[in-house]
Amino acid sequence: MMGTPRLDMPEKGPTVEWGEYRASVLCQVCHGAGLTGSQPPDPDSPPAPDLRTTQSWGLDGFIHTIREGVTPSNRELNPAFMPWHEIRNLDDIELEALYAYISTL
Ligand code: HEC
């Protein structure tokens, strides 16, 4: 039924559980199950990288990358394929949760 909350939806917070839930909704379609990298649905897109490599960036580096669209190694992310213009609007709790989840992978 429309509008029925998912029973397995965790409570929002800077937690691994919330991050895993948000990643399953927001990131997995392109970055693949477990965020280990995948070909996004758009065949013109470059592959979406394995996000485990972002573990070494630290939380600040991760948040900076999402908000500015530039990685710590100064690589610009193409907003046509990596929708950081939208993802950047997630609040700090969401990004902290995503990073906490990525850190467990
Ligand atoms: C529509 C597909 C798509 C979605 C959805 C998506 N990404 Fe991406 N992402 C990409 C692509 C493609 C790249 C590579 C972009 C480039 O090289 O310009 C990328 C790159 C990245 C990078 C840089 C990784 C690196 O090693 O340089 C990070 C971090 C990232 N994405 C995080 C996320 C997170 C977190 C989410 C979910 C909140 C997400 N992405 C959702 C397609 C996507």
Side-chain angles (χ1 to χ4, degrees), residues 37-50:
S38 183
Q39 176 60 43
D42 180 348
D44 294 331
S45 174
D50 184 342

Side-chain angles (χ1 to χ4, degrees), residues 71-103:
T71 70
S73 52
N74 265 328
R75 206 166 63 78
E76 287 187 30
L77 302 177
N78 185 343
F81 299 117
M82 163 58 193
W84 62 272
H85 285 179
E86 291 154 42
I87 297 171
R88 72 183 300 187
N89 295 320
L90 293 174
D91 64 29
D92 284 356
I93 290 174
E94 302 265 25
L95 294 182
E96 231 179 281
L98 283 166
Y99 190 72
Y101 168 58
I102 288 169
S103 300

Side-chain angles (χ1 to χ4, degrees), residues 9-15 18-19 21-22 90-94 97:
M9 187 173 135
E11 219 171 293
K12 181 178 171 180
T15 59
W18 183 252
Y21 170 68
R22 296 301 273 161
L90 293 174
D91 64 29
D92 284 356
I93 290 174
E94 302 265 25

